[in-house]
Amino acid sequence: MKNRENFSELNETELEEKFKHYKEELFNLRFQAVTGQLSNPARISLVRRNIARVKTYLAQLEKNRIQGMLQAEYEALLKEEKIDSIKTPVSEKVSRLKARLSARARKVNAEIKDDCDKKVAELLKNIRGEVSKKIQALKKGEKNPQLHAVSKRLREYKCSIRKKFLDKLTEMGLSDASQIASIKESKRAKLRELENIRVLQRELNTGGLMDLFKKINRDNRKEKAQQK
């Protein structure tokens, strides 16, 4: 087809950039159409088709990513629990894989609560104490607007601990702030891990393991055909 772009060789980042580009172009084309400045009306349909195609490729990449994670979990299950993949019924393998993922989800949730949230709360308590001491150490009549502003923010019921605020606390000599930044990064990694587990759980609930078996069988047939 004329003007048809080839997206098959692009990676996820490149596809996302294409998607953003086409969405912006479509917006501009629609604006031109409304103002009577559009010279090529057919371009709108072409851009819409390209957006749909990019979304299709992105969806396929996401499906491949999920299948890859599911295959890794499945192979780890067979190895660690010494399961005979041929003799063990599919229903039992699905059940055991679900139990494995549920146990991991509980473990990660506990780590987020104990290793992240509780530690951050403790460090914030320490920081509040240090700020309070700094205020008490001010000479009579001496004012420190930054210190008082930080103290007020730290007393808020739901204090927003963003990077800029943590950087400010670190600059003020509050060393616990840098630990909070490190813990928050660790929490983000654990949240990503938890989301991946949930994705796999949803995939299993929609028959994802059967799709994986079909893929493995196709790959095995291809490999055997190439060896002949």
Side-chain angles (χ1 to χ4, degrees):
M1 183 183 293
K2 187 178 179 182
N3 295 328
R4 184 180 178 88
E5 290 193 52
N6 181 16
F7 302 130
S8 61
E9 301 299 323
L10 301 184
N11 59 36
E12 185 177 3
T13 301
E14 292 168 334
L15 286 169
E16 287 174 348
E17 289 175 355
K18 283 284 185 182
F19 180 77
K20 182 180 178 181
H21 166 76
Y22 285 129
K23 291 290 285 186
E24 290 176 353
E25 183 179 0
L26 183 60
F27 175 83
N28 292 331
L29 290 171
R30 284 172 172 168
F31 181 78
Q32 291 172 20
V34 170
T35 57
Q37 299 175 335
L38 186 61
S39 59
N40 183 13
R43 180 67 186 173
I44 291 180
S45 296
L46 179 61
V47 171
R48 281 176 176 165
R49 287 196 298 273
N50 282 337
I51 289 173
R53 290 177 58 228
V54 169
K55 287 174 70 175
T56 299
Y57 277 98
L58 282 170
Q60 185 60 51
L61 286 179
E62 177 63 9
K63 183 177 180 180
N64 293 342
R65 184 183 75 87
I66 293 171
Q67 279 198 337
M69 289 193 301
L70 188 59
Q71 184 169 354
E73 287 292 336
Y74 173 69
E75 290 173 352
L77 173 73
L78 298 181
K79 182 178 179 180
E80 292 172 16
E81 299 190 16
K82 297 180 174 59
I83 296 174
D84 189 323
S85 62
I86 297 175
K87 294 181 180 179
T88 307
V90 173
S91 59
E92 183 179 340
K93 288 187 284 190
V94 170
S95 177
R96 292 173 75 164
L97 194 50
K98 284 182 178 180
R100 175 187 174 87
L101 290 172
S102 294
R104 274 187 56 202
R106 288 193 297 271
K107 181 175 180 290
V108 174
N109 266 317
E111 289 173 351
I112 290 172
K113 182 178 179 181
D114 297 332
D115 298 340
C116 299
D117 294 342
K118 284 186 179 179
K119 285 185 179 179
V120 168
E122 291 171 3
L123 290 169
L124 278 175
K125 184 178 179 181
N126 294 340
I127 290 173
R128 289 189 188 99
E130 287 187 52
V131 170
S132 179
K133 288 179 181 178
K134 286 178 179 290
I135 291 175
Q136 292 173 8
L138 293 174
K139 295 178 181 179
K140 189 175 181 179
E142 183 182 358
K143 293 183 179 180
N144 189 322
Q146 185 185 49
L147 197 58
H148 284 87
V150 165
S151 177
K152 181 180 178 181
R153 184 167 175 178
L154 287 169
R155 289 197 305 270
E156 293 175 0
Y157 174 66
K158 287 188 177 181
C159 178
S160 178
I161 311 297
R162 300 186 181 277
K163 186 179 184 302
K164 285 185 178 180
F165 185 52
L166 290 173
D167 289 344
K168 182 184 292 186
L169 294 176
T170 302
E171 290 170 3
M172 293 171 64
L174 301 166
S175 58
D176 285 343
S178 59
Q179 291 186 52
I180 291 178
S182 176
I183 292 172
K184 284 174 71 67
E185 181 59 37
S186 175
K187 181 177 179 177
R188 282 191 287 270
K190 291 181 186 297
L191 286 171
R192 287 193 295 270
E193 181 182 356
L194 187 60
E195 178 56 29
N196 283 334
I197 293 171
R198 288 170 177 163
V199 166
L200 294 180
Q201 288 175 321
R202 290 194 293 269
E203 186 73 4
L204 281 175
N205 288 332
T206 56
L209 199 59
M210 291 303 299
D211 293 337
L212 176 61
F213 291 154
K214 291 175 183 177
K215 178 182 179 297
I216 291 173
N217 290 334
R218 284 197 303 269
D219 292 344
N220 288 339
R221 285 196 296 269
K222 286 181 181 178
E223 186 176 345
K224 288 179 181 178
Q226 291 172 353
Q227 291 175 353
K228 290 182 180 180

